[in-house]
Amino acid sequence: MKQHEIRCQYYSQEDLLGAGCLDIRLAISAVEMAMRAFEAGEVIFPEKVVQIFNEETQERINCLPATFRKLRVCGVKWVSVFPPNPVKFGMQNLSAVIILSEIDHGLPIAFMEGTLCSNLRVGAVGALAARHLANPQSRSIGFIGAGEQAKMHLLAMKSVLPSLVECRVAAKEQAEEETFCREMGQLLPNVAIQGTGGNLQAAIEGADVIVTATSAQAPLLKAAWVKPGSFYSHVGGYEDEYAVAQQADKIVCDDWETVKHRTQTLSRMHQAGELPDHQIHGNLQDIVLGHLPGRQSPEERIYFNAVGLAYLDVAISHAMYLRTRDSGLGQDLKIQQEMIFEHAHLKNWIRI
Ligand SMILES: NC(=O)c1ccc[n+]([C@@H]2O[C@H](COP(=O)([O-])OP(=O)(O)OC[C@H]3O[C@@H](n4cnc5c(N)ncnc54)[C@H](O)[C@@H]3O)[C@@H](O)[C@H]2O)c1
C-alpha cells in the first residue's frame, strides 16, 4: 500500500442486510450509547442543511452531520424526502446515503446505503420509547399509514413488546394495506395482521399501541379512539387532532426544543399557544438515562413524538459499519492512490 493511498469501504443495502444489520437490538443499543455520549458532551451536532425544491409537496434533500468525539467518528446522512414518489412513480418516499470518517486523520472509512439505517433509527427510537412508556403486556397495535416507516415500526415494536399478537392497519389505498399485510405477515407469522379497508377508526380503536406514519397533513387520528393505557408513537407530520395530545397524561419527545420549531402536530399546537413547555413530560433521553420516570400507571395515555436526531443515525450507521466490516461483505473503494503531484503520469493528464 502506498503511503498516501486512501481507501474506504462501500456497503450496499444488501451487504448491510446480509451482515445482519436489520437488528433492532443493535440499533437500540447504539441509540442508548449515543444518548449517554450526548449527555457527556461528547457529540458535535450542528444544524441540518435543508434544501426544499417544492414548497407544496415538500420535496427536499437534507444534509445532517454529527460527530462522536470519543468514538473518533464523524458522519453525515444525505437524505432525500420526496412524498409524491410512492403514488406518482411507485418509488419510495425517503432514500439516503451515509458517509463515515475517522477523526484521527479525517479520512473516510465508509460510504453506505442509508435508507436502512434511517428507517431503522425511526423504528428503534419508537421502540425504545415503547419499552419505557407502553404497557409491557400490550397485545394489539394499530397503524394509520402502511408505508416504509410503518413497516419498520411494526418490526421494532414487536421486538420490545413480544406480547403483541394483533395488528390492524389503515392506509389511503387498499393495495398498500395488502402489501403491508403480505410483507409483514411473512416476517411476523405469530402476529395476526389485518387491513381495515381505509377505516382509520377500526385500525385504532382498542389498540394498546398506536402508530401514525403518514404523508398526510390532516387530523386523521381522533382522541375518542385512543383508549386509556395506550402508547402512541407519532411518526409523520400533522396527522392527529389536537385533542389527542390534550388528553394525554404524558407527552414525551426525542427533543422538545427541536420539535417546537418544526411542523408536527405538537409544534403547531405550541406555535398556536396551545401547548406550553410545562405540559411536556420530557425528552426520551432523560427517561432512558433514569432522570425522569417513564410510565407510572397502566391507565396513562402516553404520546411520543420523535422528529429525528441525526447523531442517532451516525451512531447506528457506525454500529452497522463495524458489523459489516467484520462479516467481510462490501467492496473496497479506492479514493486515491497517491497525492495529486505524486502521480507519475500527471504530466499526461493535466490540461492547462
Ligand atoms: N419522525 C421521523 O424521524 C421521521 C423519519 C422519516 C420519515 N418520517 C415521516 O414519516 C411519514 C411516513 O413516511 P414513509 O416513508 O413511511 O412514507 P410512505 O409514503 O411510504 O407512507 C405514507 C403512508 O401514509 C398513508 N397516508 C397518506 N395520507 C393518508 C390518509 N389521508 N389516510 C390514511 N393514510 C394516509 C399512505 O397511504 C402511506 O401508507 C412521512 O411523513 C415522513 O416524512 C418521519
Side-chain angles (χ1 to χ4, degrees), residues 40-110:
E42 291 163 15
V43 180
I44 305 175
F45 185 38
E47 271 297 304
K48 66 178 176 182
V49 177
V50 178
Q51 297 178 81
I52 299 176
F53 314 119
N54 185 325
E55 283 297 335
E56 196 194 324
T57 60
Q58 287 294 301
E59 286 163 68
R60 59 196 185 272
I61 294 185
N62 296 348
C63 176
L64 302 101
T67 296
F68 287 81
R69 290 179 199 270
K70 220 167 167 184
L71 211 56
R72 314 298 299 152
V73 67
C74 172
V76 64
K77 179 172 78 164
W78 180 257
V79 57
S80 72
V81 182
F82 275 60
N85 269 359
V87 172
K88 218 166 150 188
F89 305 112
M91 293 169 75
Q92 67 205 53
N93 172 12
L94 183 149
S95 66
V97 290
I98 291 173
I99 301 173
L100 297 178
S101 296
E102 45 81 9
I103 59 165
D104 294 314
H105 314 93
L107 300 181
I109 53 175

Side-chain angles (χ1 to χ4, degrees), residues 155-170:
L155 274 189
M157 291 295 178
K158 178 67 180 168
S159 170
V160 294
L161 298 169
S163 54
L164 286 174
V165 287
E166 193 193 317
C167 169
R168 279 169 278 133
V169 60

Side-chain angles (χ1 to χ4, degrees), residues 197-215:
N199 185 335
L200 310 187
Q201 183 172 359
I204 300 303
E205 233 168 20
D208 300 314
V209 177
I210 296 166
V211 179
T212 55
T214 74
S215 47

